[in-house]
Amino acid sequence: GKARVCPLGDKWMTTALDSATRSFRAKHEAVYASERECARYDTELCRCQDHAGNLRRELHELAPRLGGGGSAADIGAGTGKLTRLLAPTCGRVHAFDRSAGALAVARAASAAAAHISFDEADARCLPLPDGSVDVALAGWALSYLKSEHEVWHADGSYGGAWREEVDAALREMDRVLVDGGVALLLETMGTATETPQRDGSHLYAHYRARGFSQRVVRTDYRFESRRAALGTLGFFFGKGVARRAEALLADVADDGEACFVPECTGVWWRVKH
């Protein structure tokens, strides 16, 4: 099939949002709108995450073609953390994101790799032919579709068309996969905690309802100092996560001593039949 050509995704479609959700999303919107902030996010946060390399091992176990020169689509690639993880063993990596600033940082970091391409595109409309990749990976990406399309009401209930939008992205992942290819999803299940949180998440339940199996992997951070940890976590995740980390790091001296902050990441996978 031919590659699909379609416009970038809609902006926020909600009419009333829980204030915490709105604040968190606004923070991330501001980061992704600025190449300078994207560079800070990549250097200070992404490159400190998963210091033990657990994600690489997990992804290669679930999608063995990643280790055999197969092709991959990195959907919602951001500043290229997962692109860089995939590149050494993939024959071709197509990286997509809606943020021009994030892609500029990702391109600069992988400029010497001729087998990686970077394109501005929405997860629901990928410029790839049908059946063209062995692995389709959306890391910390589809949760943004949920937050953009969920609607919070005054009585505390919520609705919106987020399930339809997430399903559109899942169908697009399926479309670009070869038969036997693997769709992989990553989402945070708690930062500054050693045990998974949010297992009751409607989004994660939706993944399972769509036939995805689920695992949890530790993606702990290693920071050069307590001060760096708290500053970086506050910058991206906000005060709540920074306060949890501060409690965990109470016994760490702030004199340049390296420190570790736990994180749990959910991994969902489904094989295309």
Side-chain angles (χ1 to χ4, degrees), residues 24-92:
F24 187 75
R25 195 176 71 191
K27 177 188 287 289
H28 288 191
E29 285 275 328
V31 170
Y32 298 135
S34 163
E35 185 175 337
R36 179 178 178 180
E37 292 296 270
C38 284
R40 178 186 176 190
Y41 159 72
D42 188 61
T43 301
E44 297 183 14
L45 189 79
C46 293
R47 293 177 185 269
C48 296
Q49 186 190 33
D50 191 30
H51 73 95
N54 293 331
L55 267 182
R56 181 190 297 275
R57 289 189 291 271
E58 193 77 15
L59 296 180
H60 278 255
E61 178 183 341
L62 296 174
R65 296 183 190 184
L66 289 174
S71 57
D74 184 5
I75 303 161
T79 56
K81 175 183 176 63
L82 294 176
T83 304
R84 295 190 294 268
L85 185 151
L86 298 172
T89 56
C90 281
R92 181 72 177 173

Side-chain angles (χ1 to χ4, degrees), residues 108-176:
S110 301
H115 67 304
I116 303 175
S117 62
F118 296 94
D119 291 287
E120 197 171 342
D122 188 280
R124 295 159 291 184
C125 297
L126 301 174
L128 287 175
D130 296 356
S132 56
V133 296
D134 297 298
V135 177
L137 170 62
W140 307 282
L142 301 193
S143 54
Y144 285 97
L145 284 181
K146 178 178 182 291
S147 69
E148 289 168 3
H149 292 276
E150 64 188 355
V151 179
W152 289 89
H153 303 291
D155 63 0
S157 63
Y158 91 111
W162 68 264
R163 289 179 178 84
E164 290 85 347
E165 300 303 327
V166 168
D167 282 344
L170 296 179
R171 286 194 300 272
E172 190 69 343
M173 294 176 78
D174 225 30
R175 180 185 69 80
V176 302

Side-chain angles (χ1 to χ4, degrees), residues 219-236:
T219 53
D220 298 1
Y221 294 87
R222 182 189 186 278
F223 294 102
E224 292 304 312
S225 69
R226 179 175 178 271
R227 184 186 302 274
L230 300 182
T232 298
L233 294 173
F235 155 68
F236 191 72

Side-chain angles (χ1 to χ4, degrees), residues 9 12 18 40 54 78 115 141 146 171 187 190 239-240 255 258 273:
W12 302 351
D18 168 81
R40 178 186 176 190
N54 293 331
H115 67 304
K146 178 178 182 291
R171 286 194 300 272
E187 302 288 358
K239 295 178 181 178
D255 59 357
H273 297 295

Side-chain angles (χ1 to χ4, degrees), residues 215-267:
R215 290 185 184 179
V216 178
V217 61
R218 286 285 291 270
T219 53
D220 298 1
Y221 294 87
R222 182 189 186 278
F223 294 102
E224 292 304 312
S225 69
R226 179 175 178 271
R227 184 186 302 274
L230 300 182
T232 298
L233 294 173
F235 155 68
F236 191 72
F237 293 110
K239 295 178 181 178
V241 169
R243 280 195 293 267
R244 288 204 303 271
E246 186 173 22
L248 291 172
L249 302 176
D251 296 329
V252 177
D254 196 19
D255 59 357
E257 176 185 351
C259 62
F260 302 88
V261 175
E263 182 179 72
C264 298
T265 293
V267 182

